[in-house]
């Protein structure tokens, strides 16, 4: 179900703002740290597990990707905050 499908205007507005900020963060991250694009490898692991119909491997790959993604976002936000405090 999409946010629009919920017919909850507040939720749609909130998610729109969140996604806008995430896009900006992704752009800044990619410019400042091109190695972050290695996330494609994580996506490939998920895809391969799904393709192989290996549910356990797919769940593990998604969990590992989620943990790694969270760590990347936190790291990038900390770097942005540090650069703003210095300037």
């Amino acid at each position: 179900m999409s946010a629009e499908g919920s017919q909850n205007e507040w939720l749609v507005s909130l998610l729109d703002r969140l996604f806008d900020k995430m896009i900006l963060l992704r752009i800044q991250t990619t410019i400042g740290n091109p190695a972050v694009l290695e996330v494609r490898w994580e996506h490939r692991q998920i895809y391969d597990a799904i393709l192989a119909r290996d549910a356990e491997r797919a769940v593990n790959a998604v969990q590992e990707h989620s943990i790694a993604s969270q760590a990347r976002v936190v790291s990038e936000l900390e770097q942005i905050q540090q650069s703003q405090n210095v300037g």
Side-chain angles (χ1 to χ4, degrees), residues 43-55 57-58:
H43 291 169
R44 185 60 193 216
Q45 298 304 307
I46 296 167
Y47 173 79
D48 288 345
I50 292 170
L51 200 61
R53 298 184 183 270
D54 186 336
R57 193 170 108 205

Side-chain angles (χ1 to χ4, degrees), residues 58-83:
V59 167
N60 288 336
V62 168
Q63 288 173 336
E64 289 173 11
H65 171 62
S66 295
I67 291 167
S69 293
Q70 179 182 7
R72 280 190 293 272
V73 168
V74 168
S75 175
E76 290 301 321
L77 289 173
E78 287 172 347
Q79 288 179 16
I80 290 169
Q81 186 176 21
Q82 287 173 358
S83 69

Side-chain angles (χ1 to χ4, degrees), residues 10-11 17 19 24 26 29 35 39 41 50-51 57 65-66 75-76 81 83-84:
W10 179 83
L11 176 63
R17 289 192 312 262
F19 292 150
L24 290 173
R26 285 186 183 133
T29 299
V39 71
W41 180 82
I50 292 170
L51 200 61
R57 193 170 108 205
H65 171 62
S66 295
S75 175
E76 290 301 321
Q81 186 176 21
S83 69
Q84 290 175 345

